[in-house]
Amino acid sequence: MRDLLSISDLSVAFQVQGRWIPVLREVSLQVGEGDFVGLVGESGSGKSVTALSVLRLLPPTGRVISGRVTFRGQDLLGLPDTAMRKMRGGRIGIIFQEPKTALNPVFSIGFQVAEAVRAHRRVGRSRARAEAERLLDLVAISPARERLDDYPHQLSGGQLQRVVIAMALAAEPDLLIADEPTSALDVTVQAQILDLLRELQSRLGLAVLLITHDLAIVAETCKHLAVMYAGQIVEEGPTADLFDSAAHPYTRGLLTSVPILGRPTVRGKLLSIPGLAPDPGDLPRGCSFHPRCSEVMERCRLDEPQLGSNGPGRGSRCFLTAALAAEGPGSRREIS
Ligand SMILES: Nc1ncnc2c1ncn2[C@@H]1O[C@H](COP(=O)(O)OP(=O)(O)OP(=O)(O)O)[C@@H](O)[C@H]1O
Ligand code: SF4
Ligand SMILES: [Mg+2]
């Protein structure tokens, strides 16, 4: 499938007390047309910074050090500001965790969705209002016509997130970047919003990059997964393959905390991996995961593993995987 969004070797640093701290290290990630890709990892692993870098929304203290981001082959990092502003909320829709911050409390939801339509399409007010009704209907705010004049405070958190999704869809985007879109919602509503994203993806042919710290969420939603740890992608591949035979010890640790595997856990808390992720300003030498890895070898403390292929569409950043992949397909069973 042709890549819609392509992130290649993206490295980003933040200036903290006069020092540049690396927070993304050679991140590569592809999202194909109509694809549903999950980006998962613990808090602080660099998921949001990846999204913000793609959208060119890094704060002034953050800087892209190297790498390339393209959207339909167009270089996003080199795009003039005006073209990038059109791209954001245009071809690339964005949904963040807290829907309230994306909505203005003093305007009705119908007005706000209609304004989102008018921001990207040349239509008059009445056409925009009709389009807002269609979009609210699409995200199952019903009966849409009667809800147009509702104000944000009249809606629940889940309904507000639906309105935000309707606003993101107003520009008929090709890609939706959703950063923890359901973390502020309770579990039942989370499932409804994920169902909606999945439905929109298949109905509209939309590509979705779903960012979350919760593997249970991506398990049933995403076709492809990328796992982040300490600013790097440490494993990627088709979701089913990763759940079936994760190669990287970190992914395997994450998987033991997923409720669907029947292990005891507190939702969203990664109980199974002892220790804490490293401070980006004080990364351990060698493999960043080595202080927490149950399979650590002497080499891991000295050298940094590269992301190597370990199957079709798969990659893992671990010396063990590289060694087993070199031995041939029969040896993969040992690491699953
Ligand atoms: N403005 C900033 N200045 C300095 N460091 C920052 C800044 N924003 C983020 N970072 C650092 O960058 C790293 C990645 O942060 P990021 O917000 O991308 O994590 P995340 O994976 O999205 O985590 P969460 O699941 O908590 O949202 C963290 O170590 C964070 O402390
Ligand atoms: S390279 Fe070594 S420390 Fe890193 S994940 Fe693999 S086995 Fe563990
Ligand atoms: Mg984040």
Side-chain angles (χ1 to χ4, degrees):
M1 198 179 292
R2 198 167 82 92
D3 288 335
L4 183 65
L5 175 72
S6 173
I7 305 173
S8 312
D9 297 325
L10 183 68
S11 295
V12 170
F14 276 101
Q15 193 170 34
V16 182
Q17 292 168 350
R19 219 181 118 208
W20 286 96
I21 309 290
V23 294
L24 291 191
R25 295 177 292 145
E26 296 182 346
V27 168
S28 294
L29 182 70
Q30 272 71 42
V31 182
E33 305 260 5
D35 234 348
F36 209 128
V37 176
L39 182 59
V40 293
E42 282 167 295
S43 184
S45 56
K47 306 179 298 293
S48 295
V49 170
T50 302
L52 294 175
S53 307
V54 166
L55 298 162
R56 299 237 312 255
L57 289 174
L58 284 174
T61 51
R63 185 186 291 171
V64 173
I65 303 297
S66 58
R68 196 171 148 79
V69 179
T70 61
F71 184 77
R72 287 195 194 285
Q74 196 172 22
D75 173 21
L76 287 190
L77 299 181
L79 214 58
D81 287 346
T82 42
M84 191 62 213
R85 265 198 297 274
K86 266 189 158 171
M87 186 69 85
R88 270 193 307 263
R91 304 261 54 83
I92 307 178
I94 315 157
I95 308 170
F96 291 112
Q97 178 173 338
E98 193 40 82
K100 275 190 194 131
T101 57
L103 293 166
N104 190 328
V106 303
F107 295 115
S108 70
I109 57 166
F111 177 80
Q112 295 188 62
V113 178
E115 283 302 294
V117 171
R118 278 162 54 83
H120 295 279
R121 282 190 260 165
R122 282 193 189 155
V123 293
R125 285 189 193 281
S126 64
R127 263 287 298 284
R129 189 173 162 91
E131 184 60 6
E133 184 183 330
R134 186 187 73 81
L135 288 164
L136 288 176
D137 189 55
L138 189 68
V139 298
I141 296 283
S142 62
R145 180 163 297 181
E146 289 167 32
R147 307 297 299 274
L148 282 168
D149 297 320
D150 283 2
Y151 285 84
H153 75 267
Q154 293 172 277
L155 278 70
S156 67
Q159 287 174 326
L160 289 177
Q161 197 58 298
R162 286 174 190 272
V163 175
V164 171
I165 294 171
M167 284 168 70
L169 295 177
E172 299 178 322
D174 302 308
L175 170 69
L176 212 51
I177 297 182
D179 190 352
E180 306 274 5
T182 62
S183 313
L185 308 172
D186 71 47
V187 177
T188 328
V189 183
Q190 274 191 3
Q192 291 163 359
I193 295 292
L194 293 170
D195 281 348
L196 173 66
L197 286 177
R198 222 172 3 214
E199 190 196 322
L200 292 171
Q201 184 252 348
S202 69
R203 256 171 85 177
L204 308 176
L206 195 66
V208 181
L209 175 61
L210 177 67
I211 294 175
T212 174
H213 62 276
D214 190 342
L215 261 180
I217 280 180
V218 294
E220 290 171 34
T221 323
C222 301
K223 209 173 80 181
H224 193 91
L225 272 191
V227 181
M228 274 197 110
Y229 185 78
Q232 293 179 317
I233 304 283
V234 294
E235 180 155 17
E236 65 169 327
T239 308
D241 291 358
L242 259 63
F243 272 72
D244 191 43
S245 61
H248 197 283
Y250 177 63
T251 315
R252 293 211 297 274
L254 284 185
L255 282 167
T256 59
S257 71
V258 175
I260 54 168
L261 295 186
R263 310 262 170 97
T265 182
V266 176
R267 193 177 172 83
K269 293 273 186 324
L270 308 173
L271 298 177
S272 54
I273 309 173
L276 294 171
D279 177 346
D282 189 20
L283 291 170
R285 189 174 167 192
C287 172
S288 303
F289 187 57
H290 90 248
R292 303 172 75 187
C293 182
S294 57
E295 296 173 60
V296 59
M297 304 169 287
E298 203 41 48
R299 184 182 178 192
C300 312
R301 301 181 209 276
L302 304 170
D303 302 329
E304 196 175 346
Q306 300 302 307
L307 191 69
S309 169
N310 63 324
R314 294 190 62 171
S316 169
R317 193 184 283 276
C318 170
F319 292 126
L320 277 176
T321 324
L324 290 167
E327 281 170 27
S331 57
R332 177 112 40 85
R333 219 166 291 120
E334 296 165 37
I335 55 169
S336 38

